[in-house]
């Protein structure tokens, strides 16, 4: 009887042990998968970051604006556009980075001339770090200037001897009506700029 009692006790203990073992692995596996799911949910950028980087900006509309130094290339708001002589023509990149971009913001988006305007230059784009498209004209990236306080201003022309408007024959062969803008732009109808500071030279 004692032997039978010991056997039953042993069997009972073994059943309890097996029951405990069978429940622990399931609990551990659930915690492991649950942990991974929580990490993914808390950090959605881990899966969507590359997609955000490749999102494309809107089109960049180009027009011609009458200024005190003549007709120049401008953006849709009438702000003068500039090219940077330290950029390499058709180089596929921009030499204006960091602090430079704070003063000379890149014109982003795929360029297109406004309806009724015929531009002589070749329009294109480069891809900046982060996948941002920057508009180009004849292979040079385009920029605005924060020092221009309104449409038709050309304060950036000739700055440092490296920043220039786009004007003259490089811009257009004929200026259509309606490009003069507000009376504040005034000035001569000549399409040239000041000596050495227009669109001529530097690879243009």
């Amino acid at each position: 009887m004692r032997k039978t009692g010991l056997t039953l006790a042993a069997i009972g203990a073994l059943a309890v042990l097996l029951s405990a073992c069978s429940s622990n692995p399931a609990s551990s596996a659930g915690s492991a998968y649950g942990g991974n799911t929580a990490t993914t949910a808390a950090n959605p950028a881990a899966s969507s970051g590359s997609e955000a980087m490749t999102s494309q900006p809107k089109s960049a509309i180009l027009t011609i604006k009458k200024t005190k130094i003549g007709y120049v290339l401008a953006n849709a708001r009438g702000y003068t556009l500039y090219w940077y002589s330290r950029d390499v023509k058709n180089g596929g990149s921009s030499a204006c980075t960091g602090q430079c971009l704070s003063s000379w913001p890149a014109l982003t988006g795929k360029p297109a001339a406004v309806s009724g305007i015929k531009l002589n230059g070749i329009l294109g784009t480069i891809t900046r770090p982060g996948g941002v498209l920057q508009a180009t004209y004849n292979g040079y990236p385009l920029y605005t200037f924060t020092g221009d306080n309104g449409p038709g201003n050309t304060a950036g022309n000739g700055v440092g001897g490296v920043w220039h408007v786009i004007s003259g024959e490089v811009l257009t062969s004929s200026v259509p009506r309606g490009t003069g803008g507000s009376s504040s732009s005034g000035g001569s109808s000549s399409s040239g700029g000041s000596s050495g500071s227009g669109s001529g030279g530097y690879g243009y």
Side-chain angles (χ1 to χ4, degrees):
M1 292 295 292
R2 179 178 296 180
K3 185 175 181 180
T4 301
L6 290 174
T7 301
L8 291 175
I11 291 174
L14 181 59
V16 172
L17 181 61
L18 289 174
S19 176
C21 290
S22 64
S23 62
N24 287 339
S27 176
S28 299
S31 299
Y33 286 111
N36 291 340
T37 302
T39 301
T40 303
N43 187 23
S47 59
S48 61
S50 59
E51 183 177 341
M53 294 284 281
T54 58
S55 60
Q56 297 300 310
K58 297 179 180 179
S59 297
I61 302 301
L62 306 181
T63 189
I64 296 173
K65 186 74 175 177
K66 186 178 180 180
T67 72
K68 291 181 178 180
I69 63 173
Y71 290 100
V72 301
L73 187 67
N75 65 10
R77 298 177 58 199
Y79 281 79
T80 301
L81 294 173
Y82 301 87
W83 65 282
Y84 186 34
S85 64
R86 290 178 181 169
D87 286 333
V88 177
K89 185 175 183 178
N90 296 319
S93 63
S94 167
C96 183
T97 60
Q99 190 61 36
C100 175
L101 280 178
S102 297
S103 297
W104 303 89
L107 178 68
T108 58
K110 186 176 180 180
V114 70
S115 178
I117 296 291
K118 180 176 176 56
L119 300 174
N120 286 343
I122 299 173
L123 307 183
T125 61
I126 63 169
T127 302
R128 298 189 65 88
V132 176
L133 289 182
Q134 180 174 0
T136 64
Y137 191 89
N138 276 354
Y140 285 96
L142 296 174
Y143 309 84
T144 55
F145 180 46
T146 57
D148 287 341
N149 56 20
N153 290 170
T154 56
N157 192 38
V159 169
V162 293
W163 292 98
H164 312 280
V165 298
I166 297 173
S167 61
E169 294 181 1
V170 173
L171 178 60
T172 185
S173 300
S174 60
V175 179
R177 296 179 180 180
T179 57
S182 63
S183 59
S184 63
S185 62
S188 167
S189 62
S190 170
S191 60
S194 58
S195 177
S197 61
S199 60
Y202 295 103
Y204 260 106

